[in-house]
């Protein structure tokens, strides 16, 4: 297993937007990794638009390879419209564009531009820009005798309606999640944050897909250095396609070879907005129902937005329950293997007899027995996730009971190990982040192998390697293990426990809030604002 590479220091130049923190990755090194295997971008076509309608139509067909859904309509002797079917809103085309074109006299591109009652109307004289805009949902209006066109952008994009998040459910709080429409997702964010300081920068990534994405942050709260880092990493990407936000997160994070996620993927607008208000940078990708939040510390992956909605003693108990579940999920099965293989003396005397009777018919050593059951558990989990909902639940319950009972009766495994493996699997599902939950389940396998060969020494070796790797990781150059390393006592409180609201400081441990006053504001029980020490 590869645990990533140590990040090097770099410097910042404000004119060029380079990174300037001792915690940030060397951008040259980052870019050199991204350069490997990349495709050389195509030479940009700067061919001008022909003033002949026939030549222009032929050039458009050649560029688009004569698609079957290309619509060409002659409105008058001089006016021709071209668009791709199902990419434009037919009601706007028929209700606001065609009537104007039919009544216009002495049409020119400028006169059409001035008379169309729509916000997104442009005049273009480059063929490549005309084609790109047409693919985003534009109607192209060509007037014979003019080497330019009028582009009316009226995209029609189908998207599913808003629904409750499927992977990040909560009992108390908002019950709406992102969908695949970028404009809808941005509107959801603006519904939560009604502030003029909410900044939205739009970029396009992918030579083939030309995918739109938005970088969201609160001006004056998010660190300008972090914003420049995210912007630069996205702008320097040279890839052919971008389909989902998970791909983008892996492309722009600090250590793409690490198994630990350094950016949060969330489908909850309330959690996304909570991160923006804490000084983080968010990225929304068109076509993806998951938003990206960065920088993100390791401990924040085990915190839920619902913690803010529960009373602070209950939320604190749930957080500590998650920490206990992490330890159980990763180390419980390895401890069983190590104890039965090398360290019988640590097992309490009352448990020796039940353990001996349970393993009397098992012909395999504990390491093979544990790996076999863990593999079965992962197979059941994957099968339940890929099958339809009703069938998946049946497979998970019936399959687990039938296979577990059959394995014990056949003498392949023991009853006690089935209980331990089931407890470890249950503990891994408590993690609020799906990606971090996958990491926890994966970590069990190498630790079980080390425990089977070297016992408790192997477990300690795995634990040391894991801690060293986590201490070396960064997220946008910020320490991944903040606020534990480097130690920040003022941030420890709201990390380990959910403090009462009068003592909560709205600042992420590694977000580097730009405005110092923002990280000091606290709200007392009467609703008055007071400033406390950092």
């Amino acid at each position: 297993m590869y645990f990533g590479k140590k990040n090097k220091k770099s410097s910042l130049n404000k004119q060029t937007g380079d990174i300037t923190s001792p915690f940030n990755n060397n951008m040259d090194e980052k870019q050199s990794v991204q350069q490997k295997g990349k495709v050389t971008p195509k030479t940009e076509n700067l061919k001008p638009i022909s003033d002949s309608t026939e030549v222009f139509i032929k050039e458009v067909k050649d560029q688009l390879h004569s698609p079957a859904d290309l619509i060409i309509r002659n409105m008058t002797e001089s006016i021709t419209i071209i668009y791709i079917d199902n990419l434009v809103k037919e009601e706007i085309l028929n209700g606001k564009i065609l009537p104007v074109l039919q009544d216009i006299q002495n049409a020119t591109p400028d006169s059409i531009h001035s008379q169309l009652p729509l916000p997104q109307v442009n005049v273009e004289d480059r063929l490549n820009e005309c084609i790109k805009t047409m693919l985003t949902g534009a109607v192209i209006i060509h007037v014979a005798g003019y080497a330019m066109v009028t582009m009316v952008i009226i995209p029609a994009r189908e998207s599913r309606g808003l629904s409750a998040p499927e992977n990040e459910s909560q009992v108390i709080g908002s019950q709406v999640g992102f969908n695949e429409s970028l404009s809808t997702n941005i509107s959801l964010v603006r519904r939560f944050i009604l502030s003029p300081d909410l900044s939205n920068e739009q970029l396009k990534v992918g030579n083939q897909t030309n995918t739109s994405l938005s970088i969201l942050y609160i001006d004056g709260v998010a660190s300008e250095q972090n914003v420049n880092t995210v912007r630069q990493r996205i702008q320097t990407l040279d890839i052919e396609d971008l389909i989902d936000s998970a791909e983008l997160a892996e492309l722009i994070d600090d250590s793409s070879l690490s198994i630990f996620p350094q950016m949060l993927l969330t489908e909850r607008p309330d959690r996304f907005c909570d991160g923006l208000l804490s000084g983080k940078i968010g990225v929304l990708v068109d076509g993806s129902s998951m938003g990206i939040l960065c920088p993100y510390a390791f401990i924040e992956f085990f915190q839920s937005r619902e913690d803010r909605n529960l009373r602070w003693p209950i939320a604190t108990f749930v957080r500590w329950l998650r920490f206990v579940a992490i330890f159980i999920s990763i180390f419980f099965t390895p401890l069983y293997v190590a104890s039965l293989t090398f360290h019988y003396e640590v097992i309490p005397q009352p448990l020796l007899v039940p353990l001996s009777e349970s393993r009397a018919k098992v012909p395999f050593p504990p390491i093979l027995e544990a790996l076999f059951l863990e593999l079965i558990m992962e197979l059941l989990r994957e099968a339940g996730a890929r099958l339809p909902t009703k069938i998946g639940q049946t497979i998970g319950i019936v399959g687990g009971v039938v296979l577990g009972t059959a394995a014990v009766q056949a003498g392949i495994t023991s009853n006690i190990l089935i209980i331990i493996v089931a407890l470890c699997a249950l503990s891994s599902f408590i993690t609020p982040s799906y990606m971090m939950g996958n990491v926890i389940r994966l970590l069990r396998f190498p630790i079980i192998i080390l425990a089977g060969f070297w016992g408790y020494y192997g477990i300690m070796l795995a634990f040391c390697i894991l801690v060293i790797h986590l201490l070396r990781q960064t997220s946008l150059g910020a320490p991944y293990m903040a606020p534990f390393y480097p130690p920040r006592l003022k941030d420890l409180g709201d990390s380990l426990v959910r403090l009462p609201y009068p003592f909560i400081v709205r600042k992420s441990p590694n977000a580097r809030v730009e405005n110092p006053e923002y990280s000091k504001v606290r709200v007392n029980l009467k609703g008055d604002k007071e400033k406390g020490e950092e």
Side-chain angles (χ1 to χ4, degrees), residues 40-46 128:
T40 303
K42 299 178 181 178
T43 303
E44 186 176 13
N45 184 5
L46 299 178
N128 67 308

Side-chain angles (χ1 to χ4, degrees), residues 337-439:
V337 173
S339 299
L340 290 185
T341 306
F342 298 100
H343 310 284
Y344 270 102
E345 66 277 3
V346 301
I347 301 176
Q349 188 70 25
L351 286 179
L352 283 176
V353 176
L355 276 174
S356 302
E357 293 177 351
S358 178
R359 286 194 43 82
K361 297 180 180 180
V362 179
F364 306 111
I367 181 174
L368 295 181
E369 180 189 7
L371 290 175
F372 174 72
L373 272 186
E374 290 286 356
L375 182 61
I376 289 180
M377 187 63 67
E378 292 301 314
L379 291 175
L380 288 174
R381 187 184 67 85
E382 284 297 317
R386 301 293 174 262
L387 290 173
T389 304
K390 296 182 180 179
I391 303 177
Q393 293 176 352
T394 304
I395 290 295
I397 297 173
V398 177
V401 173
V402 172
L403 288 177
T405 304
V408 173
Q409 293 179 352
I412 298 177
T413 184
S414 62
N415 289 321
I416 295 179
L417 183 58
I418 289 181
I419 298 174
I420 292 176
V421 171
L423 182 60
C424 292
L426 187 63
S427 300
S428 66
F429 292 121
I430 296 181
T431 306
S433 171
Y434 175 77
M435 298 186 68
M436 185 59 74
N438 288 336
V439 173

Side-chain angles (χ1 to χ4, degrees), residues 458-498:
I459 295 177
M460 289 305 301
L461 175 63
F463 178 77
C464 293
I465 294 175
L466 184 62
V467 170
I468 292 172
H469 170 67
L470 291 174
L471 292 177
R472 297 176 64 185
Q473 292 304 301
T474 58
S475 178
L476 285 190
Y480 193 54
M481 290 301 292
F484 304 103
Y485 177 81
R488 296 173 182 171
L489 297 180
K490 62 181 180 180
D491 294 330
L492 279 176
D494 198 42
S495 297
L496 298 175
V497 300
R498 205 284 261 171

Side-chain angles (χ1 to χ4, degrees), residues 21 33 49 93 127 137 147 186 229 237 248 270 316 330 340 351 515:
S21 169
V33 174
I49 293 175
L93 175 63
L127 182 62
I186 294 176
T229 301
L237 288 177
L248 179 65
D270 54 349
T316 300
I330 296 177
L340 290 185
L351 286 179
N515 185 1

Side-chain angles (χ1 to χ4, degrees), residues 56-64 70 82 131 134:
F56 174 68
I57 293 175
K58 182 179 182 302
E59 290 175 343
V60 171
K61 288 184 176 180
D62 291 342
Q63 288 285 332
L64 298 176
L70 183 66
I82 304 175
I131 298 297
M134 186 189 303

Side-chain angles (χ1 to χ4, degrees), residues 268-313:
R268 302 197 60 89
D270 54 349
R271 189 174 189 181
F272 187 87
C273 294
D274 191 62
L276 297 182
L277 293 170
S278 300
K280 299 182 186 298
I281 295 94
V283 181
L284 295 175
V285 179
D286 192 18
S288 174
S289 61
M290 306 289 286
I292 302 173
L293 276 178
C294 57
Y296 229 74
F298 175 76
I299 195 171
E300 291 181 292
F301 285 95
F302 304 97
Q303 299 174 0
S304 174
R305 180 63 185 86
E306 194 175 17
D307 294 347
R308 300 290 188 189
N309 303 329
L310 299 174
R311 303 293 295 180
W312 71 270

Side-chain angles (χ1 to χ4, degrees), residues 36-89:
K36 295 181 180 179
K38 76 173 185 179
V39 180
T40 303
K42 299 178 181 178
T43 303
E44 186 176 13
N45 184 5
L46 299 178
K47 187 176 182 180
I49 293 175
S50 174
D51 58 357
S52 171
T53 301
E54 292 78 10
V55 175
F56 174 68
I57 293 175
K58 182 179 182 302
E59 290 175 343
V60 171
K61 288 184 176 180
D62 291 342
Q63 288 285 332
L64 298 176
H65 306 287
S66 300
D69 54 354
L70 183 66
I71 307 299
I72 302 174
R73 299 173 63 177
N74 296 319
M75 302 303 301
T76 64
E77 293 183 357
S78 61
I79 299 178
T80 302
I81 64 172
I82 304 175
Y83 62 93
I84 297 179
D85 195 17
N86 298 322
L87 287 186
V88 300
K89 292 183 178 179

